Amino acid sequence: MLLCIDTGNTNTVFSIWDGRKFLSHWRISTDHRRTADEYFVWLSTLITGQKFGLEIDACIISATAPRVVFNLRVLCSRYFNLRPLVVGKPECLLPVQPRVDPGQRPGPDRLANTAGAFDRHGGDTVVVDFGTATNFDVVDKDGAYVGGVIAPGVNLSLEALHMAAAALPHVDVTTPERVIGTNTVACIQSGIYWGYIGLIEGITQRIRAERDRPMKVVATGGLAPLFDQGFDLFDAIEDDLTVHGLRLIHDYNKEMGNG
């Protein structure tokens, strides 16, 4: 079985692929201090609870928080007796090389999103990934990552607003009943919600104009459904897009004799 690990700045997702489907997805907070032993105790307990064996024979990692990679490597080596593929490292091959400025390395999550989106939706696609940052990843007609946009994430914006303005409370993002708020919480929720609706619409429109062709828009990340309530912003929402891309990258490396 293949263990896919998608490590973001806030959370890390562990997913197990049995060759036909993902058996489970589990989420844990990202913490560079967490040891390989702690990962194993946590993971083995969850796997036992799902009543399938701990038969991991391959692993691929995407990590936007590089400091956690060492302990994830130790986890794979110590408990599964394998060396993981790490997306973004020279030894991890990609189906199509990204086309960006010389010397630049796109985030591994963006490369995985690109592979997953191209497989499911073809080229000329924009992936909107709602994470700690809100990323827009542009997939060319041949499946290459060709750049994108990075904007502050929704929760990051809320936290920054709360931290910078002492009088403003911390609120949860939700769909407001009206645009014009009549209390402080409603005003903040409206600003965040409608602000991000405008951000998504504006950036995707400008990407389409710059590319001068139709572009599909695919969303992923936990907050994606919140911004897809009757606005026709996205052609699809893919909860597992990143780990699907990791699985495809792993399979490509295996086919090339590199995994």
Side-chain angles (χ1 to χ4, degrees), residues 120-186:
R120 287 180 172 172
H121 303 280
D124 291 329
T125 298
V126 180
V127 179
V128 183
D129 188 350
F130 293 90
T132 305
T134 300
N135 291 336
F136 296 74
D137 306 323
V138 181
V139 185
D140 208 350
K141 60 183 178 182
D142 63 347
Y145 170 83
V146 292
V149 176
I150 300 175
V154 176
N155 288 319
L156 186 63
S157 297
L158 282 167
E159 187 65 26
L161 191 62
H162 172 64
M163 294 294 292
L168 297 180
H170 189 282
V171 302
D172 294 326
V173 61
T174 186
T175 307
E177 295 182 3
R178 295 175 294 181
V179 175
I180 301 173
T182 54
N183 57 70
T184 302
V185 169

Side-chain angles (χ1 to χ4, degrees), residues 38 45-46 59 68 100 106-107 113 125 148 152 176 187 210 220 245:
E38 289 174 310
T45 300
L46 290 170
C59 178
V68 306
V100 294
N113 285 343
T125 298
C187 289
E210 190 168 290
T220 190

Side-chain angles (χ1 to χ4, degrees), residues 3 14 18 20 42 64 98 100 116 120 183 186 189 219 231 245-246:
L3 176 62
F14 287 71
D18 71 351
R20 296 171 300 172
W42 173 80
T64 57
V100 294
R120 287 180 172 172
N183 57 70
Q189 290 174 333
F231 299 104
L246 288 177

Side-chain angles (χ1 to χ4, degrees), residues 56-57 75-83:
I56 306 298
D57 55 18
L75 167 71
C76 294
S77 174
R78 179 179 298 167
Y79 290 105
F80 305 128
N81 193 31
L82 59 86
R83 181 176 180 177

